[in-house]
Amino acid sequence: MDVSSYVLLSHEQALRRQLDVTANNMANTGTVGFKREQPLFHEFIETVREAPIDDAKQISFVLDFGAVHDAAQGAFQATGNPLDVMIDGPGYLNVEAPGGGVAYTRAGFIKLLESGELATSGGQRLLDAQGRAITVPAEQASSLTIAEDGTVMGADGPLGQLAVSGFSSETAVDPRGDGLMNGTNGRFLAAAEVKLKAGGVEASNVQPIVETTKMVEILRAYQTSVGMSDSMNTMRQRAIERLGKVA
């Protein structure tokens, strides 16, 4: 396999990665709190000793560098449940991760467990800034509300405050499944920085038309790459046939 084939192969692998990410975005169009992803690629340049011209001595390959989230705000989706919240702005709700530790989520479906603790729809307990679960006395469950700054209010006053963490870059946040994220180097947002909207959740920020258009573009680029590969194979075959005749 010559250098041109390796270059085309790296390009096709990058296109496949783009297609996988785009298809995942499409599949999560209706997922609450989902942020569309876009892949990141790194250019790797290799220098060869011999080439027909000097400009051809540097060969550029495409390497998968990861993916980054689009932090654009999703639309408010009313649910009629006064406990459901949408984070209006940056940040993630802190929840107890399965197996221990802290995970993060933008999916604001909130329910009350039998134990009286606030949790996500998946059953992960919501945490405050001290990493503790927020427990609601049974007699106050019917009058429960969540204020704009995340304060959980009962009939007799505050019961706790939902912790919201922010990150300097979306590259510090990685999906772990079930609407949860792993995050590094986050910080608790002060009450003045937090703005929650109760009575609804944040819809996915995926735009189906945009993703469909991108998918078509990727498929066309892949077809072009395959066509170039077929053309080079034909050129090689003809060259071998001519060399055979000369010999």
Side-chain angles (χ1 to χ4, degrees):
M1 186 181 290
D2 60 18
V3 172
S4 59
S5 296
Y6 282 116
V7 172
L8 281 175
L9 181 60
S10 72
H11 179 234
E12 289 167 8
Q13 288 178 327
L15 289 172
R16 178 177 179 178
R17 170 65 170 155
Q18 283 184 300
L19 186 61
D20 289 343
V21 172
T22 303
N24 183 62
N25 289 340
M26 289 287 290
N28 285 280
T29 300
T31 301
V32 170
F34 180 82
K35 299 294 186 183
R36 64 175 295 274
E37 293 182 305
Q38 54 187 25
L40 294 178
F41 296 103
H42 179 70
E43 182 183 28
F44 175 76
I45 298 178
E46 183 175 348
T47 302
V48 296
R49 294 182 178 179
E50 299 180 0
I53 58 176
D54 289 339
D55 290 343
K57 289 184 177 181
Q58 287 192 333
I59 305 169
S60 176
F61 295 91
V62 182
L63 299 179
D64 186 2
F65 195 65
V68 64
H69 299 281
D70 179 0
Q73 184 83 45
F76 180 75
Q77 182 177 312
T79 62
N81 179 9
L83 296 184
D84 290 340
V85 294
M86 181 188 89
I87 301 175
D88 189 4
Y92 294 83
L93 295 170
N94 289 223
V95 302
E96 186 178 59
V102 179
Y104 305 93
T105 185
R106 295 276 301 190
F109 286 123
I110 297 178
K111 66 180 182 180
L112 202 58
L113 300 178
E114 292 183 2
S115 60
E117 297 167 319
L118 292 178
T120 66
S121 59
Q124 290 81 32
R125 297 189 303 172
L126 289 155
L127 305 175
D128 61 14
Q130 285 72 45
R132 301 171 303 195
I134 299 174
T135 303
V136 178
E139 65 274 10
Q140 299 189 50
S142 60
S143 59
L144 203 62
T145 60
I146 298 178
E148 187 176 273
D149 64 355
T151 300
V152 179
M153 300 293 296
D156 297 333
L159 299 171
Q161 186 173 18
L162 299 175
V164 178
S165 292
F167 297 86
S168 59
S169 172
E170 286 298 311
T171 57
V173 183
D174 298 311
R176 58 177 292 163
D178 294 329
L180 301 180
M181 316 287 282
N182 289 321
T184 56
N185 300 322
R187 70 176 183 88
F188 293 119
L189 299 182
E193 300 177 272
V194 176
K195 185 178 180 181
L196 302 182
K197 289 184 177 180
V201 293
E202 179 186 9
S204 168
N205 68 352
V206 175
Q207 300 181 47
I209 294 178
V210 173
E211 300 301 322
T212 301
T213 302
K214 184 173 293 185
M215 189 173 291
V216 172
E217 292 174 349
I218 293 170
L219 291 174
R220 287 178 177 172
Y222 185 83
Q223 290 171 349
T224 300
S225 182
V226 171
M228 292 177 64
S229 180
D230 291 340
S231 297
M232 286 192 295
N233 288 335
T234 301
M235 290 174 60
R236 294 189 194 99
Q237 185 176 357
R238 290 177 179 175
I240 292 172
E241 290 175 352
R242 290 177 182 178
L243 287 173
K245 291 179 182 178
V246 171

